[in-house]
Amino acid sequence: MSQRVLVLGAGSVGVFVGGHLAAAGMEVIFVGRQRILDDIAEHGLRLTDLDGGSTEVPPDRFGLALEPDEPELADLVLVTVKSADTAAAARAVAGRLRPGTPVVSLQNGIGNASVIREILPTSIVLAGMVMFNVVYSGRGCFHRASDGDLAIQDDQVVDRFADRFRAAGLPLRRHRDLRPVQWAKLLLNLNNPINALSGRPLREELAERDYRRCLALTQSEALAVMNTARIRPAQLTPVPPELMVHLLRVPDALFRRVFGRVLAIDPLARSSMADDLALGRRTEIAWLCGEIVRLGEMVGHPTPVNRRLTELIRIAESGDTVRFTGSRLFAELTGAAAAVTD
């Protein structure tokens, strides 16, 4: 029997995941903004990836809606909206889902599943993580621009749909405790504001040592705060997070030689935060660097680097589109750190 999947958030990630599920025979309904819905209604979907894969999904293979339509018929709900919109997305289906309906948060940040759980107490709400980057280039084209898989908090309800995800080429990596994975992904996502402020594609930004030194500063501070809070992130990279902080600082030639796969990213790929700034939208900085700042306040550990990055992104959100060279951004962050220690 076909399963009905309601995707709350027809952005890059939501459409890429939902599109593959539709191609595998699931009944998928995308709920999102008019701009993307109009595009995919006209052109259908072309889903490509870094490894050369390509999947075409015609418009008659999925449904579209500006607001959730008949959510009581959904067998699975995927929440892929930006973190700031989590509560609104959950409230849009509150009291309308069948009790026991699985709802999976495929979002950045740490606490989105908890927000959904409070609003949808009769649903089975699970945290999930999308470990890859998706680039939307218009005319229905969505491209997976980096390696990675889908991680999900384990629960017996996952058995209902795990085979369908596997058939769609999206196998679910199940974790008894997803929190270490969420914190580890947060560490990686601390590059999002650096990339956004650089104004450069991810591959170019990560290939330049000064930008990587900025990321090392940001991650080092985050790891110190996590350690104080007794949070141990999972290892998502070839080396542990503590060692990666040091390796980010090595010269460019050595970094390319040792971590070439890190730079195996689509040449045009940018962070989702860079896309948000380009479109004049509020970013998820409060759920990335802001998460570290809040944790630091809780445990009494200063976080000047993540606080300064948050301030710089807020300035960019207000319309100031200044692009930072790696050396200038590094000076900003080291200056912020020095001001606290003086």
Side-chain angles (χ1 to χ4, degrees):
M1 293 179 61
S2 176
Q3 290 180 314
R4 184 181 176 110
V5 183
L6 184 64
V7 180
L8 300 179
S12 298
V13 165
V15 173
F16 186 85
V17 173
H20 276 288
L21 295 177
M26 299 182 81
E27 183 184 353
V28 176
I29 298 89
F30 294 112
V31 179
R33 293 185 176 92
Q34 189 76 59
R35 177 177 62 89
I36 291 184
L37 296 186
D38 286 347
D39 177 44
I40 63 179
E42 179 180 355
H43 298 104
L45 301 177
R46 183 169 183 263
L47 311 173
T48 58
D49 61 51
L50 190 67
D51 305 311
S54 181
T55 300
E56 305 277 348
V57 189
D60 61 1
R61 293 286 297 275
F62 50 81
L64 304 170
L66 292 173
E67 299 292 338
D69 185 29
E70 298 183 313
E72 63 275 7
L73 300 180
D75 298 296
L76 172 66
V77 178
L78 302 180
V79 182
T80 56
V81 296
K82 296 293 185 180
S83 295
D85 299 323
T86 300
R91 284 194 291 267
V93 296
R96 303 170 67 191
L97 297 175
R98 289 172 292 171
T101 299
V103 178
V104 182
S105 164
L106 293 177
Q107 301 168 275
N108 288 329
I110 304 297
N112 285 303
S114 297
V115 172
I116 298 169
R117 206 170 283 121
E118 290 183 7
I119 299 171
L120 304 177
T122 65
S123 298
I124 301 174
V125 180
L126 302 177
M129 296 296 295
V130 178
M131 311 304 287
F132 49 80
N133 174 275
V134 178
V135 176
Y136 167 53
S137 56
R139 300 183 65 84
C141 297
F142 296 80
H143 178 70
R144 177 174 63 77
S146 64
D147 285 334
D149 51 23
L150 297 180
I152 191 169
Q153 173 188 342
D154 200 11
D155 187 280
Q156 63 182 11
V157 76
V158 179
D159 294 337
R160 297 184 193 173
F161 52 84
D163 287 345
R164 299 298 183 97
F165 273 74
R166 188 179 301 109
L170 299 168
L172 299 172
R173 190 177 296 274
R174 298 162 72 157
H175 298 263
R176 186 177 63 178
D177 182 5
L178 194 67
R179 299 283 284 192
V181 177
Q182 290 178 300
W183 283 106
K185 179 70 181 327
L186 177 60
L187 280 174
L188 299 179
N189 282 342
L190 292 178
N191 186 58
N192 286 15
I194 296 168
N195 177 253
L197 292 170
S198 77
R200 299 170 68 175
L202 276 165
R203 190 161 79 179
E204 287 184 18
E205 175 243 320
L206 287 170
E208 187 172 318
R209 187 186 185 196
D210 277 339
Y211 287 123
R212 295 198 307 276
R213 292 167 76 197
C214 293
L215 180 57
L217 279 175
T218 311
Q219 290 186 346
S220 180
E221 181 178 273
L223 284 166
V225 173
M226 291 181 195
N227 184 60
T228 302
R230 299 183 179 181
I231 295 171
R232 185 169 181 80
Q235 180 177 326
L236 301 181
T237 56
V239 297
E242 296 81 4
L243 179 56
M244 179 57 79
V245 165
H246 297 289
L247 295 174
L248 286 170
R249 300 186 175 103
V250 303
D252 292 338
L254 179 58
F255 188 81
R256 285 194 300 269
R257 188 160 62 248
V258 177
F259 292 100
R261 191 60 186 171
V262 174
L263 301 177
I265 307 171
D266 186 278
L268 300 180
R270 299 175 186 268
S271 68
S272 58
M273 191 170 293
D275 291 338
D276 287 339
L277 289 181
L279 293 170
R281 296 196 300 241
R282 295 280 286 183
T283 72
E284 292 187 299
I285 193 66
W287 287 267
L288 300 178
C289 294
E291 198 76 61
I292 302 302
V293 172
R294 286 191 295 273
L295 183 62
E297 291 171 346
M298 289 175 56
V299 300
H301 195 293
T303 55
V305 175
N306 282 277
R307 190 178 295 276
R308 183 57 180 154
L309 267 177
T310 300
E311 292 168 353
L312 292 174
I313 290 296
R314 291 300 187 209
I315 292 170
E317 287 177 343
S318 70
D320 187 344
T321 56
V322 173
R323 297 291 182 249
F324 284 79
T325 63
S327 58
R328 180 183 172 191
L329 185 57
F330 186 69
E332 283 276 352
L333 301 184
T334 53
V340 170
T341 57
D342 287 345

